[in-house]
C-alpha cells in the first residue's frame, strides 16, 4: 500500500518552535527527507530506524534538484513508507511545498501538511520587532529577494514604497544592496528604520538595526551571513526597546551538553530558556550486559536497600531480571534509594517510590544519607554501571554496611557529533562544556581527541566529576550543590 507524505514545517531552527503535530509526525516516520535549514536538534528527533535523506545544499555541494526531490518522495511513499518532508520555517512559504503537493497528487500519493512557524515572523519576534503595530502599520508583506544568478531582482519597489507597510525580505542577503537601493530609488526615506536578522530565533542570532541607507554597509561590516532576512518599516524602531532575547543571561554563549540523550533534556532546556546556543552532544551511552549470573546470585541473598545511581539503572534492572524470568518484584521487601531527582522520576515511571534521595546528587552524599538511616550490619544491593565509582561502596563498607555491587550495564563512550565538536573547538566557538559524571568527561575527551580545548570552561556536577575534568581543562567550575539548577546557576555566574 502507498504510504503518506507529510509536509512538516520545522520552524526557524530551535526545537522548541517545532509544533507538537510536527514532532509526532517525525516520531512516526519511516523516512525523513529534509532541507539544509532544519535545526540539528530537530534532526535528532528522527527515530534511528527511519531512513534519513538530506536534500539541501551544504558546504558547496549542490542541492538535489526539485524534480529529484519530487521523485524521491513518490518512490519512498510507493515503498509503503510514512514519509516526512521536513522543511525550514513554514512549508508553504517559499519552500516549494505547493509544487511537491502537486506532484504527489499527480502520482496518486496521499499527503497532508503540518504548517510551521515561519522565520519571517519568528526572527522579528526574537529581535523585538512586532511586524504590525497600531501606531505604525496594519499590514506586513513577505517578499522573496532571490535573484537568478546575474539577473536583477524583479520586485516592484514603487508599489511596495507606496503601500507604506512592514516589508520582510527572505533569501535577500546577497541582494541586500539591490533591495535597499531599489527602495531608496522608489522614494523611501533614507532614515526608514530597517534591520537584518541572522540566525533568527536561534541561540546564535545576530541583528543589525539602523536607517535604511546605512543598512548594507553596517551589515557587511558586521559580517552577517545566511540564513538572514531583511525587515524594513517603522516597526524596526521598536527593536531595542522591545528586545528581550539578547538580554537573556546566556545569550550569545554556546554550551555543550554531554549527558546521554535520554537525560540531556532538562539541562538543555534550562540553558536554552536562558538564551544559550545549546549543542546536545551525548558522549556516553548505556549498553545492557548480557551476563546475568552476578545479578541472579545477588538476588538470592536478602538485602535491606536497593540503590540506584542513575535513571539508566531501572530499565537495565528490568531488562536483566526479565532475562532471568523475573521482574521488579525481586525488589520486594527492600527499601529503595535513588541518587537524585532524575533517578527517582525513573523509578516513579515504574510505579516505585524512592524512600531516600540525598540533598545533593552524588555518590558521597548518597553514602552519607544511607549511613544515617541504616544500622551497622545492614545490607545494600547496588544496581549500577560496571564503571561506577568507588566512593559509594567504600564509604558504606567503612560504616559496616555489607555491599553487593551488581554490574548491570556498561557506560560506553560514544559521540555522534565528534567531528562537529572538534571543528567548533578549533574555531573557538564553544564557551562551555557541561559534565554531569566522570564518564561524560572521559567520553568527551575521547571523542574530540587532540584539539585544543583546555581554555574552554568545564562546568561540572560533583567534585569527582570536577577532578576528572581538571586532568584535561584549565578552567573547571563546580556547581554549588550536585543539582541541575545549581549547575545552571554556576554557568550563569562564571561564564
Ligand atoms: N519556508 C521558510 C523560508 C524558506 S526560504 C520559512 O518559512 O521560514 C529561506 C530563507 O528564509 C533564507 O534565505 C532566509 O532569508 C530565511 N530564513 C530561514 N531561516 C531563518 C532564520 N532562522 N533566521 C533568519 N532568516 C531565516
Amino acid at each position: 500500500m502507498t504510504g503518506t507524505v507529510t509536509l512538516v514545517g520545522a520552524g526557524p531552527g530551535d526545537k522548541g518552535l517545532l509544533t507538537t503535530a510536527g514532532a509526532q509526525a517525525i516520531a512516526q516516520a519511516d523516512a525523513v527527507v529534509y532541507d539544509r535549514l532544519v535545526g540539528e536538534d530537530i534532526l535528532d528527533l528522527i527515530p534511528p530506524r527511519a531512513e534519513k535523506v538530506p536534500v539541501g545544499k551544504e558546504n558547496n555541494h549542490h542541492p538535489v534538484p526539485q524534480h529529484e526531490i519530487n521523485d524521491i518522495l513518490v518512490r519512498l511513499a510507493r515503498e509503503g513508507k510514512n514519509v516526512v518532508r521536513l522543511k525550514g520555517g513554514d512549508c508553504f512559504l517559499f519552500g516549494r511545498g505547493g509544487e511537491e503537493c502537486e506532484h504527489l497528487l499527480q502520482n496518486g500519493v496521499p499527503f497532508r501538511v503540518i504548517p510551521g512557524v515561519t522565520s519571517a515572523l519568528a526572527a522579528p519576534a526574537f529581535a523585538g520587532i512586532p511586524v504590525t503595530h497600531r501606531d505604525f502599520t496594519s499590514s506586513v508583506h513577505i517578499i522573496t529577494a532571490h535573484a537568478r544568478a546575474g539577473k536583477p531582482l524583479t520586485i516592484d519597489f514603487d508599489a511596495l514604497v507606496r503601500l507604506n507597510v512592514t516589508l520582510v525580505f527572505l533569501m535577500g542577503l546577497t541582494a541586500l544592496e539591490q533591495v535597499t537601493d531599489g527602495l531608496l530609488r522608489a522614494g523611501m526615506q533614507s532614515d526608514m528604520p530597517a534591520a537584518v536578522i541572522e540566525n533568527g530565533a536561534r541561540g546564535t542570532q545576530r541583528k543589525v538595526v539602523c536607517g535604511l541607507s546605512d543598512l548594507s554597509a553596517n551589515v557587511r561590516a558586521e559580517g552577517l551571513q545566511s540564513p538572514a532576512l531583511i525587515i524594513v518599516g517603522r516597526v524596526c524602531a521598536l527593536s531595542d526597546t522591545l528586545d528581550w532575547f539578547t538580554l537573556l543571561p546566556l545569550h550569545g554563549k554556546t554550551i555543550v551538553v554531554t549527558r546521554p540523550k535520554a537525560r540531556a533534556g532538562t539541562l538543555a532546556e534550562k540553558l536554552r530558556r536562558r538564551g544559550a546556543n545549546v549543542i546536545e552532544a551525548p558522549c556516553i551511552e548505556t549498553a545492557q550486559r548480557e551476563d546475568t549470573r552476578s545479578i541472579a546470585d545477588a538476588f538470592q541473598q536478602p538485602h535491606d536497600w536497593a540503590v540506584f545511581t542513575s535513571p539508566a539503572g531501572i530499565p537495565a534492572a528490568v531488562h536483566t531480571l526479565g532475562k532471568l524470568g523475573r521482574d521488579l518484584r525481586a525488589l520486594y521487601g527492600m527499601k529503595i534509594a535513588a541518587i537524585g531527582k532524575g533517578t527517582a522520576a525513573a523509578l516513579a515511571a515504574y510505579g516505585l517510590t524512592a524512600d531516600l534521595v540525598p540533598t545533593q546528587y552524588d555518590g558521597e552524599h548518597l553514602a552519607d544519607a544511607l549511613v544515617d538511616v541504616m544500622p551497622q550490619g545492614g545490607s545494600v544491593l547496588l544496581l549500577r554501571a560496571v564503571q561506577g565509582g568507588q566512593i559509594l561502596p567504600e564509604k558504606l563498607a567503612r560504616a559496616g554496611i555489607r555491599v553487593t555491587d551488581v554490574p548491570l550495564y556498561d557506560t560506553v563512550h560514544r559521540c555522534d557529533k565528534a567531528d562537529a565538536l572538534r571543528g567548533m573547538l578549533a574555531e573557538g566557538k564553544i564557551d562551555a562544556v557541561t559534565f554531569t559524571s566522570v564518564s561524560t568527561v572521559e567520553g568527551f575527551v575521547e571523542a574530540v581527541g587532540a584539539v585544543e580545548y583546555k581554555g574552554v570552561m568545564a562546568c561540572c556536577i560533583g567534585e569527582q566529576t570536577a577532578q576528572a575534568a581538571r586532568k584535561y581543562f584549565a578552567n573547571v567550575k563546580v556547581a554549588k550543590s550536585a543539582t541541575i539548577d545549581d549547575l545552571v546557576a554556576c554557568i550563569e555566574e562564571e561564564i
Side-chain angles (χ1 to χ4, degrees), residues 249-250 253 255-256 267 271 276 432-434 457-460 477 479 484-495:
L250 296 178
K253 304 292 181 195
I255 301 173
V256 179
L267 174 58
L271 294 172
V433 185
T434 60
M457 187 168 106
C459 301
C460 304
K477 305 287 181 218
I484 293 295
D485 283 337
D486 275 342
L487 179 63
V488 173
C490 166
I491 296 169
E492 247 183 69
E493 278 160 30
E494 304 285 353
I495 208 162

mmCIF file of all heavy atoms in Angstrom, residues 249-250 253 255-256 267 271 276 432-434 457-460 477 479 484-495:
data_model
loop_
_atom_site.group_PDB
_atom_site.id
_atom_site.type_symbol
_atom_site.label_atom_id
_atom_site.label_comp_id
_atom_site.label_asym_id
_atom_site.label_seq_id
_atom_site.Cartn_x
_atom_site.Cartn_y
_atom_site.Cartn_z
ATOM 1 N N PRO A 249 20.423 35.892 30.113
ATOM 2 C CA PRO A 249 21.772 35.846 30.701
ATOM 3 C C PRO A 249 22.794 35.044 29.884
ATOM 4 O O PRO A 249 23.976 35.347 29.943
ATOM 5 C CB PRO A 249 21.546 35.203 32.073
ATOM 6 C CG PRO A 249 20.182 34.604 32.038
ATOM 7 C CD PRO A 249 19.398 35.397 31.051
ATOM 8 N N LEU A 250 22.331 34.026 29.157
ATOM 9 C CA LEU A 250 23.310 33.202 28.428
ATOM 10 C C LEU A 250 23.272 33.474 26.922
ATOM 11 O O LEU A 250 23.802 32.700 26.127
ATOM 12 C CB LEU A 250 23.070 31.718 28.712
ATOM 13 C CG LEU A 250 23.279 31.291 30.172
ATOM 14 C CD1 LEU A 250 22.969 29.814 30.358
ATOM 15 C CD2 LEU A 250 24.707 31.589 30.628
ATOM 16 N N LYS A 253 26.104 32.698 24.088
ATOM 17 C CA LYS A 253 27.046 31.691 24.581
ATOM 18 C C LYS A 253 26.697 30.328 23.991
ATOM 19 O O LYS A 253 25.518 29.939 23.946
ATOM 20 C CB LYS A 253 26.969 31.583 26.110
ATOM 21 C CG LYS A 253 27.206 32.885 26.828
ATOM 22 C CD LYS A 253 28.631 33.359 26.673
ATOM 23 C CE LYS A 253 28.866 34.656 27.411
ATOM 24 N NZ LYS A 253 30.087 35.316 27.019
ATOM 25 N N ILE A 255 27.034 26.388 24.468
ATOM 26 C CA ILE A 255 27.293 25.459 25.571
ATOM 27 C C ILE A 255 26.999 24.024 25.120
ATOM 28 O O ILE A 255 25.952 23.752 24.538
ATOM 29 C CB ILE A 255 26.414 25.811 26.792
ATOM 30 C CG1 ILE A 255 26.733 27.252 27.236
ATOM 31 C CG2 ILE A 255 26.646 24.832 27.936
ATOM 32 C CD1 ILE A 255 25.836 27.793 28.314
ATOM 33 N N VAL A 256 27.939 23.134 25.400
ATOM 34 C CA VAL A 256 27.772 21.733 25.005
ATOM 35 C C VAL A 256 27.214 20.933 26.177
ATOM 36 O O VAL A 256 27.688 21.065 27.306
ATOM 37 C CB VAL A 256 29.128 21.125 24.579
ATOM 38 C CG1 VAL A 256 28.960 19.661 24.182
ATOM 39 C CG2 VAL A 256 29.733 21.917 23.430
ATOM 40 N N LEU A 267 18.439 19.773 31.268
ATOM 41 C CA LEU A 267 19.570 20.700 31.317
ATOM 42 C C LEU A 267 19.591 21.552 30.049
ATOM 43 O O LEU A 267 19.685 22.780 30.112
ATOM 44 C CB LEU A 267 20.883 19.911 31.464
ATOM 45 C CG LEU A 267 22.165 20.728 31.393
ATOM 46 C CD1 LEU A 267 22.185 21.817 32.451
ATOM 47 C CD2 LEU A 267 23.394 19.821 31.554
ATOM 48 N N LEU A 271 19.048 25.699 29.805
ATOM 49 C CA LEU A 271 20.069 26.580 29.215
ATOM 50 C C LEU A 271 19.475 27.370 28.054
ATOM 51 O O LEU A 271 19.720 28.560 27.895
ATOM 52 C CB LEU A 271 21.270 25.762 28.749
ATOM 53 C CG LEU A 271 22.074 25.076 29.865
ATOM 54 C CD1 LEU A 271 23.120 24.139 29.280
ATOM 55 C CD2 LEU A 271 22.738 26.107 30.772
ATOM 56 N N ALA A 276 20.923 30.471 25.728
ATOM 57 C CA ALA A 276 22.169 29.874 25.211
ATOM 58 C C ALA A 276 21.934 29.146 23.895
ATOM 59 O O ALA A 276 20.828 28.690 23.607
ATOM 60 C CB ALA A 276 22.729 28.893 26.237
ATOM 61 N N ALA A 432 31.474 26.845 26.797
ATOM 62 C CA ALA A 432 31.492 25.973 27.969
ATOM 63 C C ALA A 432 31.016 24.579 27.593
ATOM 64 O O ALA A 432 30.259 24.397 26.636
ATOM 65 C CB ALA A 432 30.590 26.538 29.058
ATOM 66 N N VAL A 433 31.493 23.590 28.376
ATOM 67 C CA VAL A 433 31.027 22.214 28.218
ATOM 68 C C VAL A 433 30.533 21.763 29.592
ATOM 69 O O VAL A 433 31.189 22.030 30.604
ATOM 70 C CB VAL A 433 32.177 21.284 27.759
ATOM 71 C CG1 VAL A 433 31.656 19.884 27.477
ATOM 72 C CG2 VAL A 433 32.856 21.837 26.516
ATOM 73 N N THR A 434 29.371 21.114 29.633
ATOM 74 C CA THR A 434 28.849 20.659 30.926
ATOM 75 C C THR A 434 29.113 19.171 31.102
ATOM 76 O O THR A 434 28.950 18.388 30.167
ATOM 77 C CB THR A 434 27.327 20.879 31.008
ATOM 78 O OG1 THR A 434 26.704 20.136 29.956
ATOM 79 C CG2 THR A 434 26.975 22.342 30.876
ATOM 80 N N MET A 457 35.584 26.596 29.315
ATOM 81 C CA MET A 457 35.127 26.378 30.685
ATOM 82 C C MET A 457 34.427 25.022 30.807
ATOM 83 O O MET A 457 33.532 24.711 30.026
ATOM 84 C CB MET A 457 34.166 27.500 31.066
ATOM 85 C CG MET A 457 33.771 27.474 32.502
ATOM 86 S SD MET A 457 32.932 29.024 32.906
ATOM 87 C CE MET A 457 31.277 28.455 33.019
ATOM 88 N N ALA A 458 34.858 24.227 31.777
ATOM 89 C CA ALA A 458 34.199 22.949 32.042
ATOM 90 C C ALA A 458 33.345 23.132 33.291
ATOM 91 O O ALA A 458 33.858 23.463 34.352
ATOM 92 C CB ALA A 458 35.239 21.859 32.268
ATOM 93 N N CYS A 459 32.016 22.945 33.161
ATOM 94 C CA CYS A 459 31.120 23.126 34.307
ATOM 95 C C CYS A 459 30.648 21.759 34.772
ATOM 96 O O CYS A 459 30.057 21.017 33.980
ATOM 97 C CB CYS A 459 29.919 23.954 33.919
ATOM 98 S SG CYS A 459 30.409 25.542 33.309
ATOM 99 N N CYS A 460 30.894 21.443 36.025
ATOM 100 C CA CYS A 460 30.694 20.065 36.478
ATOM 101 C C CYS A 460 29.698 19.958 37.609
ATOM 102 O O CYS A 460 29.572 20.853 38.438
ATOM 103 C CB CYS A 460 32.006 19.485 36.978
ATOM 104 S SG CYS A 460 33.311 19.554 35.763
ATOM 105 N N LYS A 477 34.790 24.605 36.724
ATOM 106 C CA LYS A 477 33.908 25.147 37.762
ATOM 107 C C LYS A 477 32.991 24.021 38.241
ATOM 108 O O LYS A 477 32.587 23.168 37.447
ATOM 109 C CB LYS A 477 33.028 26.273 37.202
ATOM 110 C CG LYS A 477 33.815 27.392 36.553
ATOM 111 C CD LYS A 477 34.520 28.260 37.570
ATOM 112 C CE LYS A 477 35.271 29.381 36.905
ATOM 113 N NZ LYS A 477 36.531 29.695 37.514
ATOM 114 N N ALA A 479 29.375 23.052 40.356
ATOM 115 C CA ALA A 479 28.105 23.568 40.869
ATOM 116 C C ALA A 479 28.120 23.524 42.396
ATOM 117 O O ALA A 479 28.697 22.609 42.983
ATOM 118 C CB ALA A 479 26.958 22.731 40.324
ATOM 119 N N ILE A 484 20.920 19.994 38.919
ATOM 120 C CA ILE A 484 20.926 20.648 37.603
ATOM 121 C C ILE A 484 20.742 22.158 37.761
ATOM 122 O O ILE A 484 21.397 22.948 37.087
ATOM 123 C CB ILE A 484 19.811 20.055 36.708
ATOM 124 C CG1 ILE A 484 20.131 18.600 36.371
ATOM 125 C CG2 ILE A 484 19.618 20.853 35.431
ATOM 126 C CD1 ILE A 484 21.355 18.385 35.533
ATOM 127 N N ASP A 485 19.861 22.568 38.703
ATOM 128 C CA ASP A 485 19.628 24.005 38.893
ATOM 129 C C ASP A 485 20.905 24.719 39.321
ATOM 130 O O ASP A 485 21.200 25.821 38.846
ATOM 131 C CB ASP A 485 18.522 24.246 39.929
ATOM 132 C CG ASP A 485 17.155 24.002 39.317
ATOM 133 O OD1 ASP A 485 17.047 24.087 38.074
ATOM 134 O OD2 ASP A 485 16.206 23.712 40.060
ATOM 135 N N ASP A 486 21.673 24.098 40.199
ATOM 136 C CA ASP A 486 22.912 24.741 40.620
ATOM 137 C C ASP A 486 23.972 24.699 39.526
ATOM 138 O O ASP A 486 24.828 25.587 39.452
ATOM 139 C CB ASP A 486 23.434 24.113 41.915
ATOM 140 C CG ASP A 486 22.778 24.769 43.131
ATOM 141 O OD1 ASP A 486 22.226 25.875 42.971
ATOM 142 O OD2 ASP A 486 22.799 24.181 44.227
ATOM 143 N N LEU A 487 23.910 23.697 38.675
ATOM 144 C CA LEU A 487 24.842 23.669 37.541
ATOM 145 C C LEU A 487 24.539 24.854 36.612
ATOM 146 O O LEU A 487 25.441 25.578 36.182
ATOM 147 C CB LEU A 487 24.704 22.341 36.772
ATOM 148 C CG LEU A 487 25.605 22.193 35.546
ATOM 149 C CD1 LEU A 487 27.081 22.217 35.944
ATOM 150 C CD2 LEU A 487 25.310 20.894 34.797
ATOM 151 N N VAL A 488 23.254 25.069 36.362
ATOM 152 C CA VAL A 488 22.852 26.182 35.500
ATOM 153 C C VAL A 488 23.260 27.512 36.159
ATOM 154 O O VAL A 488 23.804 28.401 35.503
ATOM 155 C CB VAL A 488 21.326 26.141 35.231
ATOM 156 C CG1 VAL A 488 20.868 27.378 34.482
ATOM 157 C CG2 VAL A 488 20.976 24.886 34.422
ATOM 158 N N ALA A 489 23.030 27.622 37.453
ATOM 159 C CA ALA A 489 23.395 28.850 38.174
ATOM 160 C C ALA A 489 24.899 29.084 38.083
ATOM 161 O O ALA A 489 25.358 30.218 37.884
ATOM 162 C CB ALA A 489 22.957 28.746 39.637
ATOM 163 N N CYS A 490 25.664 28.019 38.207
ATOM 164 C CA CYS A 490 27.127 28.109 38.156
ATOM 165 C C CYS A 490 27.571 28.626 36.780
ATOM 166 O O CYS A 490 28.421 29.516 36.683
ATOM 167 C CB CYS A 490 27.705 26.727 38.439
ATOM 168 S SG CYS A 490 29.426 26.527 38.033
ATOM 169 N N ILE A 491 26.950 28.125 35.727
ATOM 170 C CA ILE A 491 27.301 28.577 34.376
ATOM 171 C C ILE A 491 26.986 30.068 34.243
ATOM 172 O O ILE A 491 27.793 30.855 33.757
ATOM 173 C CB ILE A 491 26.522 27.769 33.316
ATOM 174 C CG1 ILE A 491 26.929 26.302 33.379
ATOM 175 C CG2 ILE A 491 26.746 28.332 31.911
ATOM 176 C CD1 ILE A 491 26.065 25.383 32.571
ATOM 177 N N GLU A 492 25.782 30.440 34.718
ATOM 178 C CA GLU A 492 25.371 31.841 34.612
ATOM 179 C C GLU A 492 26.350 32.772 35.328
ATOM 180 O O GLU A 492 26.676 33.844 34.828
ATOM 181 C CB GLU A 492 23.990 32.005 35.257
ATOM 182 C CG GLU A 492 22.915 32.341 34.266
ATOM 183 C CD GLU A 492 21.596 32.551 34.955
ATOM 184 O OE1 GLU A 492 21.454 33.534 35.677
ATOM 185 O OE2 GLU A 492 20.697 31.699 34.762
ATOM 186 N N GLU A 493 26.838 32.355 36.491
ATOM 187 C CA GLU A 493 27.747 33.207 37.255
ATOM 188 C C GLU A 493 29.142 33.267 36.652
ATOM 189 O O GLU A 493 29.795 34.301 36.657
ATOM 190 C CB GLU A 493 27.885 32.677 38.691
ATOM 191 C CG GLU A 493 26.754 33.100 39.583
ATOM 192 C CD GLU A 493 26.641 32.193 40.805
ATOM 193 O OE1 GLU A 493 27.674 31.655 41.251
ATOM 194 O OE2 GLU A 493 25.504 32.014 41.292
ATOM 195 N N GLU A 494 29.603 32.144 36.139
ATOM 196 C CA GLU A 494 31.022 32.047 35.793
ATOM 197 C C GLU A 494 31.342 32.358 34.339
ATOM 198 O O GLU A 494 32.479 32.641 34.004
ATOM 199 C CB GLU A 494 31.546 30.636 36.126
ATOM 200 C CG GLU A 494 31.330 30.211 37.570
ATOM 201 C CD GLU A 494 32.306 30.905 38.516
ATOM 202 O OE1 GLU A 494 33.224 31.596 38.020
ATOM 203 O OE2 GLU A 494 32.146 30.761 39.737
ATOM 204 N N ILE A 495 30.344 32.285 33.465
ATOM 205 C CA ILE A 495 30.653 32.348 32.029
ATOM 206 C C ILE A 495 31.027 33.778 31.595
ATOM 207 O O ILE A 495 30.538 34.741 32.158
ATOM 208 C CB ILE A 495 29.462 31.815 31.200
ATOM 209 C CG1 ILE A 495 29.981 31.242 29.880
ATOM 210 C CG2 ILE A 495 28.384 32.846 30.999
ATOM 211 C CD1 ILE A 495 29.013 30.318 29.194
#
